[in-house]
Amino acid sequence: MLYTINGADAPQIDFAPVTVIEEVLQNVRTIISTIKHSVPMDREFGIDGAIIDRPINIAKAHLSNEIFRSVRRYEPRAVIESIDFEGDESGRLTPKIKVQINE
């Protein structure tokens, strides 16, 4: 089954997710909403913020690569099937990620 994660959704932390699916989806949301180098004990956790102010096609490619890399490393139970982007007039990119969960 495929699940969609919207990068615009604010991560709400549930310290006791009821199912593995909820836990994995929460972990992916946390990974994609964290800027790399902002976590003191693991500076590689998250997404590289260097994409800011880059041309849109370069930013999409870089962000896709970062999402694949980070999710593969920090939440291997989630397999990314696709990443699409929505943009607005201000240039903000919002990833929409479809994942399959291996329990």
Side-chain angles (χ1 to χ4, degrees), residues 7-44:
D9 293 343
Q12 297 178 348
I13 304 300
D14 180 357
F15 290 104
V18 177
T19 66
V20 170
I21 292 168
E22 289 175 11
E23 177 183 355
V24 172
L25 295 175
Q26 174 176 276
N27 291 347
V28 173
R29 276 193 304 273
T30 300
I31 292 166
I32 67 170
S33 64
T34 303
I35 299 295
K36 192 186 270 189
H37 305 293
S38 67
V39 178
M41 298 302 287
D42 189 353
R43 297 291 185 187
E44 290 299 309

